[in-house]
């Protein structure tokens, strides 16, 4: 997993519709709409740990792990 400390930037090959950031227990820490091919999340206020970023582009759901340090 990719470590992040404050600002997470994800560049996507497509414009997704929604995102969810889940904590290690599966609880939603952040969610929202995606308006471009770049997603920027401020993670500075979240506790350190493992998170899972879910990106939804209509029919497909992609989940990637990341570590907040």
């Amino acid at each position: 997993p990719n470590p992040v400390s404050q600002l997470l930037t994800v560049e996507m090959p497509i414009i997704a519709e929604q995102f969810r950031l889940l904590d290690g227990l599966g609880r939603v820490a952040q969610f929202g709409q995606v308006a471009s091919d770049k997603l920027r999340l401020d993670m500075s206020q979240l506790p350190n740990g493992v998170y899972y970023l879910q990106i939804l582009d209509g029919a497909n759901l992609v989940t990637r792990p990341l570590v907040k340090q």
Side-chain angles (χ1 to χ4, degrees):
N2 297 329
V4 63
S5 59
Q6 293 186 12
L7 183 64
L8 173 69
T9 302
V10 179
E11 293 187 29
M12 300 172 282
I14 58 164
I15 297 177
E17 294 176 5
Q18 299 177 3
F19 77 90
R20 282 188 299 227
L21 183 66
L22 307 176
D23 68 12
L25 298 175
R27 298 176 296 202
V28 177
Q30 293 185 25
F31 67 93
Q33 302 295 317
V34 180
S36 72
D37 61 348
K38 286 186 181 178
L39 174 63
R40 291 192 173 109
L41 298 177
D42 180 4
M43 298 186 62
S44 62
Q45 300 300 315
L46 297 175
N48 293 348
V50 176
Y51 290 85
Y52 298 92
L53 178 63
Q54 294 185 328
I55 304 289
L56 177 65
D57 73 354
N60 300 308
L61 176 67
V62 177
T63 303
R64 296 289 184 262
L66 58 100
V67 174
K68 164 68 167 55
Q69 295 180 337

